[in-house]
Amino acid sequence: MMILVIAPFFTSFILRTVAWRQILADEGPVATTLNTLHLLPGGRITETWMAVVAGLTYNFLPFMVLPIYASLERADHRIIEAGGDLYANGFTTFRTVTLPMSMPGVLAGTLLTFIPAAGDYVNAELLGSDNTKMVGNVIESQFFRVLGGFPTAAALSFTLMAIILALVFVYVRKFGTEELL
Amino acid sequence: MSALAHVGAGASGAPTGPPPEPTKKSRLAYLLLLPGAVWLLVFFVIPLVQLFTVSLQSQFPGYPGYYYRDVNVGNYWRAFTDFGPHFGRSLLFAGLATFFAFCLAYPLAYAMAFKAGSGGAS
């Protein structure tokens, strides 16, 4: 299963996103199935926010899986078994023992996913439309295509960095363990 | 007392007298720190400062594509007024993607850690 998680890394990030265009295309398997079940309100997935979010989720999934896996792997199984010995059912054991023990991994995984995803523009460029442009797309177009856009692109980058930094600071302050801050 | 100060890697000097010489151990630590610090300085700190100066530049009127050094906060104002929705969308999409990735990843990681392979010998 580890190999399944790591296998996508052997292909380039952009190639995988282009492949997702085919998977989510109007005549593709996902869109036709959902259309047959009448579950798709707009009738298509590509060029909607759903495609962008799906692409982001897919592309950053390994960065979420591996830290959580590492923290769960390291967890002492005897402590989890002790939860059962103390008459907790499976869900209670998970909520009060397993989940808190894996919190460092969850924190690392969410940060590793959120920070690059907020600045990502490949997914929005390849899977989205003009209505789903993200900051990364604006920075890219200001930098490369708009004449005289350099200062605006730089200001956008700095603002994005400040916003992410502030959010991450609040998040780590709220959920982090004492060794992080 | 002096032997103790040497063991303390030069970090804790006595309140009276000059701070102790850095010992061999602490010098090695700084030496190990050097490549990473230089790398970060050259490829992170300097570009970041440059990015900040660029973000405050103004355009020469009538010469698109040419800039002069300035403190033009209007760039930041423009970033918010013209592209505010993009910021919101970026954070929303990233948050949604993080949430879905978490929902998918936690059961997967759980299965990998406890149910599959050699790690699952509970």
Side-chain angles (χ1 to χ4, degrees):
Chain A
M1 247 195 288
M2 190 74 157
I3 294 166
L4 277 178
V5 173
I6 298 173
F9 280 126
F10 288 96
T11 318
S12 147
F13 172 67
I14 292 171
L15 270 181
R16 276 183 281 138
T17 312
V18 173
W20 263 67
R21 260 165 85 132
Q22 307 297 320
I23 297 171
L24 300 177
D26 292 344
E27 306 296 322
V30 181
T32 46
T33 310
L34 286 177
N35 269 326
T36 321
L37 296 169
H38 298 285
L39 285 174
L40 211 57
R44 59 188 314 211
I45 300 178
T46 39
E47 305 190 4
T48 64
W49 64 271
M50 285 180 280
V52 181
V53 172
L56 285 171
T57 306
Y58 163 72
N59 274 315
F60 294 106
L61 191 61
F63 297 102
M64 186 70 101
V65 172
L66 292 175
I68 297 176
Y69 167 70
S71 70
L72 281 175
E73 174 83 293
R74 216 178 37 195
D76 193 343
H77 292 217
R78 286 170 302 179
I79 297 174
I80 298 165
E81 282 163 18
D85 293 345
L86 294 168
Y87 299 105
N89 60 24
F91 179 71
T92 314
T93 310
F94 174 77
R95 192 170 53 82
T96 54
V97 180
T98 316
L99 190 63
M101 277 206 294
S102 65
M103 262 328 261
V106 172
L107 192 90
T110 43
L111 290 183
L112 277 176
T113 309
F114 182 79
I115 297 171
D120 186 86
Y121 73 94
V122 173
N123 283 286
E125 182 75 41
L126 293 174
L127 297 171
S129 66
D130 281 349
N131 298 322
T132 61
K133 288 247 180 288
M134 290 165 66
V135 173
N137 301 87
V138 179
I139 294 172
E140 190 259 351
S141 64
Q142 287 285 325
F143 191 81
F144 287 114
R145 297 190 199 144
V146 177
L147 195 57
F150 278 19
T152 314
L156 280 165
S157 308
F158 238 82
T159 315
L160 180 67
M161 220 183 307
I163 291 173
I164 291 177
L165 214 61
L167 283 175
V168 165
F169 187 75
V170 170
Y171 178 69
V172 171
R173 243 353 222 294
K174 201 154 187 296
F175 294 103
T177 45
E178 58 273 12
E179 59 253 34
L180 269 169
L181 269 185
Chain B
M1 185 63 202
S2 64
L4 212 91
H6 276 280
V7 170
S12 59
T16 55
E21 283 279 305
T23 58
K24 207 175 176 182
K25 206 173 165 186
S26 78
R27 241 179 281 142
L28 180 69
Y30 282 118
L31 203 67
L32 288 172
L33 201 63
L34 193 67
V38 169
W39 179 273
L40 277 181
L41 182 74
V42 172
F43 292 111
F44 183 69
V45 177
I46 293 174
L48 201 66
V49 171
Q50 199 175 10
L51 185 71
F52 186 65
T53 57
V54 169
S55 77
L56 293 173
Q57 279 176 346
S58 295
Q59 248 189 89
F60 271 119
Y63 292 92
Y66 288 88
Y67 313 96
Y68 62 92
R69 193 156 291 169
D70 196 6
V71 184
N72 184 3
V73 194
N75 291 325
Y76 284 90
W77 180 245
R78 217 169 100 72
F80 267 115
T81 51
D82 290 11
F83 305 111
H86 298 89
F87 275 112
R89 213 177 283 140
S90 259
L91 298 176
L92 177 71
F93 285 180
L96 278 174
T98 310
F99 173 73
F100 287 131
F102 174 72
C103 292
L104 287 171
Y106 205 97
L108 189 60
Y110 192 88
M112 275 162 65
F114 292 129
K115 298 287 191 292
S118 56
S122 56

